[in-house]
Amino acid sequence: NAGIPGFWPHTALYTGSIDELNEFFDGLPDLGDKTFSDMLKAQYPDIHLGLQEFDKNKNKMRVLEAKRPGVIFLSLEDSANCDYFAALRTKCKKEEIYQALLNSFQHYKKPYDFNFDFATDEAMVCSELVYKAYQQTGKLPIPLEQVSGRGLIPPNSFVKYYGENP
């Protein structure tokens, strides 16, 4: 993380567990009479399986993030095991959060993007995953910055945006 500017060097998406997702999205028109879990089984079987796993301490997988080796699920306990941790909540409607999750699921198991290249989707870096998940909702209008000759969004920019747009 030495080349990433700012205090916050990493970002991730909290998805919630299967049970939390079922409860949160209960009654969402996009799901019809299905549960979120039913939709996952049918459309994203790898995601459904990934969210069924547990970490070595038997904690449920609840976070999707891009880190070495790629886009993976982690438990919140593993993801938040760092010196400093902050949680930022979007001001999105359930339908927008639903769409952002579906957008992020498209990148599951992609390799880590050591080139920090936001222009392509073959590999992902942490802030790229969050940016591309919410980009289509219009709720995260953060412009790309030039860092070492690349257009990207450092994780610090998310914190700055939320600090200026509470």
Side-chain angles (χ1 to χ4, degrees):
N1 292 337
I4 300 172
F7 180 79
W8 301 101
H10 187 63
T11 186
L13 283 170
Y14 180 83
T15 62
S17 68
I18 290 283
D19 293 336
E20 291 166 333
L21 289 163
N22 282 336
E23 182 179 336
F24 183 76
F25 290 115
D26 184 40
L28 187 73
D30 289 353
L31 292 172
D33 61 350
K34 294 182 180 179
T35 66
F36 192 86
S37 181
D38 293 337
M39 180 279 300
L40 281 180
K41 282 181 199 174
Q43 295 181 22
Y44 302 95
D46 284 352
I47 300 291
H48 188 265
L49 288 173
L51 282 169
Q52 300 286 333
E53 295 177 5
F54 294 86
D55 70 10
K56 64 182 182 242
N57 295 315
K58 305 217 185 314
N59 297 305
K60 293 179 180 180
M61 298 300 169
R62 289 187 164 104
V63 177
L64 184 66
E65 63 184 278
K67 59 188 282 183
R68 216 173 302 153
V71 181
I72 58 173
F73 279 109
L74 288 174
S75 66
L76 179 59
E77 293 79 1
D78 279 347
S79 183
N81 185 16
C82 55
D83 293 333
Y84 297 94
F85 178 83
L88 303 174
R89 182 181 293 261
T90 65
K91 293 181 181 178
C92 293
K93 298 174 186 168
K94 282 187 183 188
E95 294 81 8
E96 294 166 330
I97 295 170
Y98 176 79
Q99 189 57 53
L101 284 176
L102 297 184
N103 294 342
S104 71
F105 293 163
Q106 302 298 317
H107 305 294
Y108 182 54
K109 293 189 176 180
K110 287 186 179 179
Y112 187 76
D113 189 355
F114 291 98
N115 289 321
F116 291 79
D117 184 1
F118 274 48
T120 65
D121 286 349
E122 289 80 36
M124 289 281 129
V125 66
C126 66
S127 56
E128 181 182 15
L129 177 65
V130 175
Y131 173 72
K132 289 188 176 177
Y134 279 96
Q135 185 179 26
Q136 294 174 345
T137 68
K139 297 292 183 173
L140 204 57
I142 301 173
L144 297 178
E145 300 174 25
Q146 288 296 311
V147 178
S148 300
R150 298 226 184 257
L152 58 89
I153 297 178
N156 233 52
S157 294
F158 293 117
V159 177
K160 181 180 177 193
Y161 173 78
Y162 277 98
E164 294 171 352
N165 300 281

